[in-house]
Each structure stands twice: as structure tokens, then as C-alpha cells.
Amino acid sequence: MDFGVKGKIVVVTGGATGIGRAIAEAFHGEGAIVIINGRNQDKLDKACAELGQNAHGVVADLLTAEGAQTLADFAAGFGPVDYLVNNIGIFDVNDFFEVSDSRWTEYFEHNLMTAIRISRIVLKDMLARNLGSVCFISSEGAIRSIGNMTPYSVTKTAMLGLGRSLAELTRGTNVRVTNYMPGSTATESVQRYFEGLAKEQGKSVDDTLRDFYKEVQPSNLRRSLIDPAMHGRGVVQLMTNTAMNGVTHRADGGTIHSII
């Protein structure tokens, strides 16, 4: 299927690894010009070399307004941004009563403000041109609130609200804003987490995952981690479907008990 993105400019924040990398790869495979950012030039260079000749990376820290402008200016050098994927985020397992104010601030800065800063620039230009698509990569944790990951869940819930609010600004235009909500995915960071948990529990990774789905996510229908490539495909489909605006697309493996 031709998604009509050949030659289009796509920005994927934090696109060197994980789900962001899979999204960048999916767009690149469809012929798009893909821009990724990060804080390590070597990692960006390696990722771009692996993605292909139409992938370009720039060191730009979206924890600052200056970094967001650097990314926007770099992307503008290739042309107007057609697709913006807000993918940057952090997570860890923690005790709510032990999470400091400064750690809460870090969560809001990484999981929300990075997206706000770049969207404030790029979405404004899209509205002026009357064309474009923005997607926020949230998480099943936004709906299935997780007690031992409270800052993560709260900030991902806020992201859903942000995406819907910005979609309201597109009324009557050819600009769209959507949310994408993945479930537990076999990214490098998630795999490291389960490897560490397995070592701590004295079990194999397979046994640890089996027990995870039995005890922590018994409602999960897949009973396995999701291949990041599936999210890459899903985001391309979502962002190119002109019937989809202001919506949240679930890709959680059936964990959440809901028919919508």
C-alpha cells in the first residue's frame, strides 16, 4: 500500500532507538525524508546510517526551548514538516512515596514538555500552511494507571489530554493531531528491565515474562512483548489516515478491558 509519504518531511523526536526508531524506519521505508534528534551525535550517526540515505540526525535537546528551535530549524532546511512524531519519554519502576519533587519535574519535562516545545513551533507552521499531521506517543499506562509507575502514568495521561486539546485547534483545517498508545514493547530499555528483573529473581527472562503476564498483566491477550516494528507501521497508518483526528489509537495487546 502506498501511504503517500514519499519525499515528505517527517520529524521523529528521540528516533534513534526504541519505538521512535521503528517509526522512523517505517516512514523511511515508505520513501519519506526522516529527521531524528538526540543528545549523542555518534548514536544519531549510527542510527541514520542504518536507516538509510534519507535519514538525517541532529543533536538537539528538547528539554530546552533552544533545542526545540534547533530541531525545527534543521528540519526546515529540508522543507516544511509534514509529519511530527512526539516520541521522547522516560520510565522507571518506583515507590510513589519515595519519588522526589525534582524527579516529578524530570518526568514532566521529558514526557510532556519536550512534546510541547517542538509542537508549539511545528504545529503553528502546519496550521499556517493548512497541512500536516502530529502524533503523540503515549502509553497503555495512560489508561491502565500503574501503581508502581505513577509519574509515568500521570504524564502519559496528560499527553492524551494535550493531543486532544491541540486537535481542537485544527477544526476545519487539513491538519490533524492524534495519540498512539502502545503496550509493553520489546525495546532495548524494556528488555534490559526484564533482564535485570530476571537476574534479581533468579529466573530466566522467559519465565519472568510469563509470570509478568500472569500476575501483573493478566488481561493481556498477546502474552508477549510487542515487536516495535508493529508500532512503526501503526503510526504511519494513523498519521496518513485523513479520517483520524483527535483520536487515540490503542496498540496495547488487548490489555485494557474496553471495546473502544
Side-chain angles (χ1 to χ4, degrees):
M1 180 180 290
D2 182 359
F3 290 100
V5 301
K6 187 175 182 179
K8 301 292 185 179
I9 310 301
V10 182
V11 172
V12 183
T13 68
T17 59
I19 291 176
R21 166 66 178 270
I23 296 169
E25 187 170 7
F27 270 109
H28 190 277
E30 292 293 322
I33 298 170
V34 177
I35 313 297
I36 62 175
N37 79 295
R39 292 183 286 186
N40 184 295
Q41 188 68 61
D42 289 341
K43 287 184 179 180
L44 288 169
D45 290 343
K46 182 176 184 294
C48 288
E50 292 171 351
L51 287 169
Q53 64 179 359
N54 288 327
H56 308 275
V58 59
V59 173
D61 186 356
L62 301 192
L63 291 173
T64 68
E66 294 77 13
Q69 192 63 59
T70 295
L71 174 57
D73 290 344
F74 182 82
F78 296 88
V81 175
D82 298 288
Y83 301 94
L84 168 63
V85 183
N86 287 299
N87 166 73
I88 292 173
I90 58 173
F91 80 94
D92 62 0
V93 174
N94 46 50
D95 179 346
F96 167 75
F97 299 102
E98 300 298 324
V99 181
S100 66
D101 287 2
S102 61
R103 185 56 173 163
W104 271 100
T105 298
E106 288 176 357
Y107 262 96
F108 275 99
E109 282 289 332
H110 282 83
N111 292 2
L112 206 62
M113 290 305 301
T114 55
I116 289 172
R117 290 187 180 102
I118 190 63
S119 296
R120 192 159 47 202
I121 301 170
V122 174
L123 179 59
K124 187 175 183 179
D125 179 66
M126 287 179 174
L127 290 170
R129 291 187 294 111
N130 193 28
L131 187 65
S133 179
V134 178
C135 184
F136 293 90
I137 307 303
S138 182
S139 164
E140 65 166 359
I143 300 298
R144 188 183 67 84
S145 300
I146 307 171
N148 64 352
M149 297 176 68
T150 302
Y152 178 75
S153 288
V154 169
T155 50
K156 288 299 185 178
T157 302
M159 178 172 271
L160 296 184
L162 172 62
R164 177 64 205 196
S165 293
L166 295 186
E168 292 295 319
L169 303 181
T170 70
R171 191 180 303 273
T173 74
N174 292 315
V175 181
R176 295 175 294 107
V177 181
T178 54
N179 294 304
Y180 186 88
M181 200 167 65
S184 299
T185 302
T187 61
E188 299 92 329
S189 56
V190 170
Q191 289 177 317
R192 284 196 300 270
Y193 167 75
F194 279 108
E195 288 167 0
L197 187 61
K199 184 176 181 180
E200 180 182 308
Q201 296 176 347
K203 297 188 294 190
S204 69
V205 173
D206 286 343
D207 286 344
T208 299
L209 279 167
R210 183 199 63 215
D211 292 344
F212 171 78
Y213 287 111
K214 180 180 179 181
E215 299 166 8
V216 180
Q217 284 192 14
S219 62
N220 187 286
L221 303 180
R222 283 179 49 87
R223 297 299 174 100
S224 63
L225 296 175
I226 301 168
D227 182 347
M230 298 299 101
H231 296 313
R233 297 177 189 178
V235 171
V236 171
Q237 292 170 344
L238 173 63
M239 295 187 75
T240 56
N241 186 339
T242 57
M244 306 289 273
N245 193 12
V247 302
T248 295
H249 182 87
R250 284 176 48 201
D252 62 349
T255 300
I256 299 168
H257 282 298
S258 173
I259 61 173
I260 59 172

